[in-house]
Amino acid sequence: MQELQIPNGYFQLWQMFLSDRDLDGLRLDFLQDDHAQLRHVLNLPIDTQSPYTFFLEVIQRTQQHLNCPQLIFEMARYIRPEHFGVLGYMASRSNSVAEALQNIIRFSRLVIDGAAVIPMQMLHQGKEIYLSWPLHDVRYAMINELTSACMAHLAKQIFPASLQLLSMQFAHTPQMARFHYEKFFGCEVSFGHAQYSFVISSDSLDLKSELADPSLMQLLLRQAEEAIASKPSYESLDQHIHMRVAEYLRVQNSVPKIEQIANELHVSARTLQRQLNSSFKKIVEMERMKRCDQLLQQDMQLTDIATQLGYSDQSALARAYKAYSGQTLLHRKQQLKDPPES
């Protein structure tokens, strides 16, 4: 599986954060072993991509040595369209919020790419719009937070007076003190959801941008289509099934059968199972455990969690969780209650 790729514009944000504090990232002692690779990445075009693991290492060391747990939010304040490459320019030149969101959904691989990436979805629920994507792995918590912060801050630049973020939902646990999240996003921020979501009013879709440029958009669209066409294709069926099972567990509070998912894809259950790299049963069990973590964060009773996840009783859930994670349910519940402080 190819490693997750992130935009080199993110390295530029890191450098801008340091420069404003009279620091040179290529001279910091705690990054001495990484100076050569950092110099290489910083000299690459801003709209190209580099491995996420290296970026994560740089960010974690910077957070630690500068005692700045909210580093990603400080970096996000420097975001400009060019840091997202052609997609950033497309968002800034779109005619409306709806058009900008459609472009983000269609061309998101130009920002974050890899076999682990599942495209965003736009969901309508009453008077609210959810721009959502699922949690794939807790290792990607930082990049999900940084990308969310950059998108939110850039949206304020494109639609400065009228676009309001109603709430921000994260699929992982807090990575720093909660007030850092609330201060940056300026809205309700919650954790432990089945998916990451920006929540905005449905009325926001019609908001117009003063920077709209239809002629330039045509050129940018062709450029984005060519860039997407040049990227490798990934086997995404397993990821799609993970996403659908997670949605059943979150929205319908039920465990789907393979026949239900197969019907949605217009194939037989046997064909679907044959096309999967993993077994459907393993996918369901993995998503049940992820959902279990989310419900533990909500302080739900273990008996209720067992019922909601389709286990016969609390003991059956406890055995499944121990087999999956190596931890007891009670230990994990306590762990989730104690997020790191700043």
Side-chain angles (χ1 to χ4, degrees):
M1 181 178 291
Q2 184 193 7
E3 181 178 3
L4 197 72
Q5 300 291 304
I6 58 101
N8 287 333
Y10 284 0
F11 284 92
Q12 300 291 339
L13 294 176
W14 170 80
Q15 187 180 47
M16 293 168 73
F17 164 82
L18 293 175
S19 295
D20 263 8
R21 288 152 183 79
D22 297 320
L23 297 172
D24 183 351
L26 299 178
R27 293 173 180 253
L28 295 173
D29 291 340
F30 61 85
L31 293 172
Q32 184 174 1
D33 294 340
D34 298 317
H35 286 171
Q37 189 171 354
L38 275 170
R39 186 176 292 107
H40 169 72
V41 172
L42 290 170
N43 285 329
L44 291 171
I46 196 171
D47 60 347
T48 54
Q49 295 170 317
S50 292
Y52 168 64
T53 50
F54 176 57
F55 182 68
L56 176 62
E57 177 185 342
V58 169
I59 296 302
Q60 288 177 334
R61 289 188 183 183
T62 305
Q63 285 175 320
Q64 178 182 355
H65 285 269
L66 299 186
N67 190 25
C68 185
Q70 75 279 16
L71 173 62
I72 59 169
F73 293 144
E74 299 295 336
M75 290 166 51
R77 298 184 192 280
Y78 296 94
I79 191 70
R80 295 293 182 271
E82 58 265 29
H83 293 115
F84 280 144
V86 65
L87 183 53
Y89 287 118
M90 292 180 74
S92 67
R93 300 300 175 176
S94 295
N95 180 59
S96 64
V97 170
E99 184 179 329
L101 292 179
Q102 289 167 0
N103 288 327
I104 289 170
I105 292 169
R106 182 178 178 186
F107 298 110
S108 60
R109 287 187 65 193
L110 298 181
V111 178
I112 307 291
D113 194 24
V117 175
I118 299 176
M120 295 178 173
Q121 290 188 321
M122 188 163 63
L123 307 172
H124 295 249
Q125 292 189 9
K127 294 184 178 181
E128 295 178 337
I129 300 295
Y130 288 72
L131 182 64
S132 304
W133 64 101
L135 170 68
H136 179 73
D137 194 298
V138 293
R139 293 174 298 172
Y140 303 138
M142 185 275 287
I143 201 63
N144 277 298
E145 291 191 347
L146 177 57
T147 301
S148 299
C150 287
M151 290 176 63
H153 202 62
L154 187 59
K156 292 178 182 179
Q157 298 174 34
I158 301 172
F159 304 94
S162 45
L163 181 61
Q164 181 182 5
L165 184 60
L166 299 180
S167 66
M168 186 70 217
Q169 299 178 353
F170 288 99
H172 57 254
T173 57
Q175 305 296 293
M176 64 191 90
R178 287 176 181 254
F179 74 84
H180 290 305
Y181 296 91
E182 295 165 353
K183 179 181 178 181
F184 181 86
F185 288 104
C187 65
E188 178 186 357
V189 181
S190 53
F191 301 85
H193 294 271
Q195 300 189 86
Y196 295 91
S197 296
F198 290 96
V199 185
I200 64 174
S201 168
S202 58
D203 296 335
S204 299
L205 292 179
D206 296 326
L207 295 176
K208 304 298 182 182
S209 170
E210 296 179 359
L211 302 175
D213 189 334
S215 298
L216 179 57
M217 276 296 295
Q218 292 302 311
L219 296 175
L220 293 171
L221 181 60
R222 286 198 293 270
Q223 185 178 344
E225 288 173 342
E226 291 172 359
I228 285 289
S230 68
K231 286 184 168 293
S233 60
Y234 301 114
E235 175 54 60
S236 58
L237 180 59
D238 282 52
Q239 297 163 8
H240 178 76
I241 301 306
H242 273 280
M243 181 178 66
R244 293 297 296 125
V245 171
E247 189 173 349
Y248 267 89
L249 293 170
R250 177 179 64 88
V251 178
Q252 301 186 28
N253 295 330
S254 65
V255 181
K257 298 182 182 300
I258 190 171
E259 290 79 9
Q260 292 172 279
I261 305 295
N263 286 337
E264 294 175 6
L265 298 176
H266 306 291
V267 298
S268 69
R270 184 176 180 181
T271 297
L272 175 58
Q273 183 59 77
R274 188 170 62 246
Q275 292 176 346
L276 291 171
N277 293 319
S278 180
S279 73
F280 183 78
K281 182 178 180 180
K282 287 182 179 179
I283 291 175
V284 168
E285 197 63 12
M286 183 179 297
E287 293 304 326
R288 285 164 114 184
M289 296 300 98
K290 290 180 183 179
R291 184 60 178 157
C292 181
D293 273 352
Q294 294 157 5
L295 297 175
L296 286 172
Q297 280 188 280
Q298 298 173 22
D299 208 26
M300 182 181 287
Q301 295 295 318
L302 296 182
T303 53
D304 294 334
I305 295 177
T307 299
Q308 185 165 318
L309 296 181
Y311 291 98
S312 57
D313 53 33
Q314 178 181 328
S315 297
L317 170 62
R319 288 193 297 272
Y321 197 89
K322 183 68 182 294
Y324 174 79
S325 68
Q327 292 181 294
T328 66
L329 274 172
L330 293 178
H331 181 266
R332 181 57 173 161
K333 186 173 186 178
Q334 187 61 43
Q335 196 177 50
L336 292 171
K337 276 187 175 181
D338 300 320
E341 295 294 333
S342 61

